[in-house]
Amino acid sequence: MPGVSICLWQLKKLIQDKDIDAVVTIGCVIQGSTKHDEIVIQHASRKIADLSLEYGKPVTLGISGPGMSRLDAHERVEYAKRAVEAAVKCSKC
């Protein structure tokens, strides 16, 4: 949970910088003993989309989850480069 909250705070700070064309969010939300991970990823992805639209800059979602174990997340590390590639492509539009 702390990682996602910090990610959103840092995202807003980065997206306000006029020298930054795009932002990539990378991370994972690991499932705990409750369904809290579903709420966390829903709110994070919504806020990321809102900030992208508000500031008119591409922000790609490279945060995996919900319902992931640590092993699942580790196996998907390579997927993060897709978010980077998408940000680069979008910033050229």
Side-chain angles (χ1 to χ4, degrees):
M1 172 63 180
V4 173
S5 298
I6 292 169
C7 172
L8 294 173
W9 174 78
Q10 291 173 332
L11 167 60
K12 186 167 184 176
K13 203 171 169 185
L14 287 170
I15 203 167
Q16 291 172 333
D17 188 324
K18 295 191 184 323
D19 293 329
I20 294 177
D21 297 325
V23 180
V24 179
T25 59
I26 298 174
C28 62
V29 177
I30 303 295
Q31 183 176 11
S33 59
T34 66
K35 299 268 185 194
H36 186 68
D37 59 315
E38 293 177 11
I39 295 168
V40 169
I41 195 67
Q42 285 174 358
H43 288 285
S45 60
R46 178 56 193 226
K47 188 61 177 175
I48 288 166
D50 290 346
L51 287 168
S52 179
L53 292 172
E54 180 180 344
Y55 290 94
K57 293 183 183 181
V59 179
T60 57
L61 182 64
I63 302 174
S64 57
M68 297 187 80
S69 68
R70 290 183 187 276
L71 180 59
D72 294 334
H74 182 68
E75 290 173 354
R76 293 183 58 119
V77 167
E78 288 295 315
Y79 284 57
K81 73 176 150 183
R82 292 180 185 176
V84 175
E85 291 167 352
V88 170
K89 287 178 185 176
C90 288
S91 68
K92 293 180 181 180
C93 296

